[in-house]
């Protein structure tokens, strides 16, 4: 049949071919970040609205409480720290995608928290899980609904 050397060479060749096929398949599968762009309204408090606009590797965030702008900033989605002002207070923010979740780490003085945001499969709901990174914060999960822009609620 085959000699020992031929068997080893065939095994190596088959292994390399299989590795090449698997590598090609993994390159064809691109991970897609969730589409967080849009206007999101908090389910338990309709006055709270977040607007996300993603362009390239940056995310522009506007946070509203009724007619009051709480925050308006743009940060990189690469996990780089950016300095922002939220409700008149200086804050450090880092944002990045971790698989299907947008992760936001907020640091204000000695207080820090992590938010993990995930969009539902139908794209209509945003779950925001808050994980405290300091003792003064509390864990909570908020739900936001994507606001549908129609001719009656859009501005001219």
């Amino acid at each position: 049949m085959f000699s020992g050397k031929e068997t080893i060479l065939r095994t190596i060749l088959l292994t390399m071919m299989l590795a090449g096929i698997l590598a090609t398949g993994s390159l064809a599968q691109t991970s897609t970040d969730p589409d967080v762009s849009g206007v999101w309204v908090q389910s338990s408090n309709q006055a709270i609205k977040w607007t996300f606009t993603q362009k390239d590797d940056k995310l522009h965030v506007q946070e509203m409480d009724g007619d009051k702008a709480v925050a308006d900033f743009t940060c990189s989605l690469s996990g780089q720290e950016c300095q922002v002002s939220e409700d008149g207070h200086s804050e450090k923010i880092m944002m990045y995608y971790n698989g299907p979740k947008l992760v936001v780490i907020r640091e204000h003085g000695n207080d820090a928290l992590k938010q993990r945001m995930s969009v539902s499969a139908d794209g209509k709901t945003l779950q925001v899980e808050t994980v405290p990174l300091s003792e003064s914060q509390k864990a909570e999960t908020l739900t936001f609904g994507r606001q549908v822009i129609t001719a009656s609620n859009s501005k001219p």
Side-chain angles (χ1 to χ4, degrees):
M1 194 94 183
F2 295 111
S3 71
K5 286 184 179 180
E6 287 176 330
T7 303
I8 292 172
L9 287 174
R10 279 184 168 251
T11 304
I12 292 171
L13 182 61
L14 286 172
T15 303
M16 289 174 57
M17 287 174 55
L18 182 59
I21 290 168
L22 291 175
T24 304
S26 68
L27 290 175
Q29 294 178 337
T30 59
S31 67
T32 56
D33 297 329
D35 180 16
V36 296
S37 294
V39 178
W40 298 93
V41 180
Q42 187 176 331
S43 299
S44 62
N45 182 352
Q46 300 289 309
I48 305 295
K49 291 184 182 180
W50 293 354
T51 302
F52 298 131
T53 308
Q54 185 173 339
K55 185 172 182 183
D56 300 325
D57 68 337
K58 295 186 186 288
L59 187 66
H60 180 221
V61 178
Q62 293 175 301
E63 297 178 7
M64 301 291 293
D65 186 354
D67 292 334
K68 180 184 176 196
V70 177
D72 189 345
F73 59 87
T74 302
C75 286
S76 168
L77 289 166
S78 66
Q80 291 179 312
E81 189 176 279
C82 65
Q83 199 73 32
V84 303
S85 177
E86 181 167 345
D87 206 15
H89 304 285
S90 178
E91 188 171 87
K92 295 177 190 173
I93 294 182
M94 291 187 298
M95 296 190 286
Y96 58 93
Y97 284 107
N98 184 0
K101 296 187 183 218
L102 173 63
V103 178
V104 179
I105 299 174
R106 297 173 176 255
E107 186 180 320
H108 173 74
N110 293 329
D111 292 333
L113 61 89
K114 178 192 287 189
Q115 295 173 311
R116 291 188 289 232
M117 302 180 192
S118 56
V119 179
S120 62
D122 63 6
K124 295 180 180 179
T125 305
L126 178 72
Q127 287 287 128
V128 181
E129 175 190 6
T130 300
V131 178
L133 300 176
S134 59
E135 291 181 21
S136 64
Q137 302 295 327
K138 66 176 185 159
E140 65 180 345
T141 300
L142 300 174
T143 303
F144 287 74
R146 190 185 299 261
Q147 185 176 34
V148 179
I149 305 296
T150 63
S152 63
N153 66 1
S154 64
K155 295 181 181 178

